[in-house]
Amino acid sequence: MITHAPFAFVGGDLVVDLANTVKMVNHQLTDLLTTPDQLRRWTQRAGISIPLQDEDFARTVQIRNAVRDFLQEYAQLHQSSHQTIQTLNAVLEDLAIRPEIIMTAFGQPSLHLTATQTSSPWIDHLIQKTVNLVSDSATLNRLKRCKNPQCVLVFIDRSKNHNRRWCDMNTCGNRLKASRHYQRHHAIG
């Protein structure tokens, strides 16, 4: 049985963390969500208490892949191609999304999106979070890709000065700094 590295919750957003379930493991791009059980473990680790249904796995991976392509492209170019947007729209269209105004717990109206082709609370929640993320330009302007060239994770830079460089300082940041330190000191001597 193949075991993968643990999930990374460094993205600063549920949808970004879901996109980051494809990551580098032993210098190889690896999908950490290949079974419904792995999706269940990911949702548990993410603190999501919404129950998953049988059809949720395939839909989640489909949404994750389209969002991941969008986020990777946007983090690198600060824009997205027509093709990437079309792919994301096709996934959302396939789910037949219907807008609905609901009242929040505070008595305020709020836009809620429901996928009419599923009756899955998880997919509805994921769609809502996805649309909120990709339509929030202020958040997307803070989207970055880890500066470690061996890492493919993206994150929302919520630091005060917008100068975060690593998905996680304890892994990517320290590894790169240690590698540079080693090269400097062993190249001299």
Side-chain angles (χ1 to χ4, degrees):
M1 181 171 153
I2 298 172
T3 58
H4 296 300
F7 299 119
F9 293 93
V10 297
D13 181 271
L14 173 78
V15 176
V16 176
D17 286 334
L18 180 63
N20 285 340
T21 58
V22 175
K23 64 186 241 180
M24 296 299 279
V25 177
N26 297 324
H27 305 289
Q28 201 167 15
L29 198 59
T30 304
D31 186 347
L32 302 180
L33 295 182
T34 57
T35 68
D37 283 339
Q38 289 171 332
L39 175 59
R40 282 186 185 86
R41 280 196 295 275
W42 182 85
T43 58
Q44 289 169 347
R45 292 270 327 275
I48 299 165
S49 60
I50 301 169
L52 296 173
Q53 299 175 12
D54 292 341
E55 70 274 4
D56 289 348
F57 175 71
R59 295 279 191 182
T60 301
V61 170
Q62 182 185 32
I63 294 167
R64 188 268 322 258
N65 291 343
V67 169
R68 182 179 183 279
D69 290 346
F70 172 84
L71 294 175
Q72 287 288 325
E73 188 174 78
Y74 203 92
Q76 183 177 355
L77 305 172
H78 297 289
Q79 63 182 9
S80 196
S81 70
H82 179 69
Q83 178 61 41
T84 302
I85 295 295
Q86 275 188 312
T87 302
L88 188 55
N89 279 331
V91 168
L92 297 176
E93 182 180 315
D94 183 47
L95 294 171
I97 297 168
R98 177 179 54 87
E100 178 181 39
I101 304 297
I102 62 169
M103 296 304 283
T104 67
F106 304 107
Q108 300 294 317
S110 176
L111 177 65
H112 179 75
L113 304 171
T114 303
T116 59
Q117 290 190 10
T118 70
S119 58
S120 168
W122 162 245
I123 296 298
D124 288 349
H125 179 74
L126 182 56
I127 289 169
Q128 184 75 44
K129 295 292 189 182
T130 298
V131 171
N132 288 347
L133 175 67
V134 300
S135 63
D136 182 354
S137 61
T139 299
L140 287 179
N141 287 336
R142 291 175 163 229
L143 185 68
K144 293 182 179 179
R145 186 170 170 170
C146 182
K147 291 293 183 189
N148 182 345
Q150 300 301 314
C151 184
V152 296
L153 300 185
V154 295
F155 58 89
I156 297 168
D157 182 358
R158 298 191 192 278
S159 66
K160 185 177 179 179
N161 296 325
H162 311 290
N163 60 357
R164 181 176 163 193
R165 299 178 61 201
W166 319 106
C167 65
D168 183 27
M169 187 60 195
N170 293 326
T171 54
C172 286
N174 281 346
R175 283 184 192 149
L176 202 56
K177 286 180 179 185
S179 173
R180 287 180 182 160
H181 176 78
Y182 180 85
Q183 288 173 353
R184 275 194 312 269
H185 290 284
H186 286 81
I188 296 170

